[in-house]
Amino acid sequence: MLSLREFKEALGDMAKNLTEEEILKLRENQDQTAEILFNMWLENKKKNITRY
């Protein structure tokens, strides 16, 4: 997980218009999305390996 400072920097100018609470929620949502996508990728990878 990115630190709050790193995440704010990644948001760039957009971060200036957001509260800290909104930034924390965005970071949490991003982490959840990344976890879901990684798990989907991993499941697909496992399925492909068992086919051979």
Side-chain angles (χ1 to χ4, degrees):
M1 177 185 297
L2 293 173
S3 70
L4 183 58
R5 182 187 55 78
E6 291 170 321
F7 192 72
K8 280 181 179 181
E9 288 175 5
L11 288 174
D13 289 338
M14 182 180 163
K16 295 176 184 175
N17 300 322
L18 300 172
T19 65
E20 188 168 315
E21 184 178 326
E22 290 171 323
I23 293 171
L24 289 170
K25 186 64 178 171
L26 279 173
R27 185 179 67 168
E28 180 182 325
N29 288 341
Q30 178 190 5
D31 287 341
Q32 289 172 350
T33 300
E35 185 175 345
I36 290 167
L37 292 173
F38 177 78
N39 287 332
M40 289 171 60
W41 172 83
L42 187 58
E43 283 301 312
N44 285 329
K45 195 78 168 156
K46 286 178 185 177
K47 289 176 187 175
N48 288 334
I49 290 173
T50 58
R51 290 183 187 165
Y52 298 107

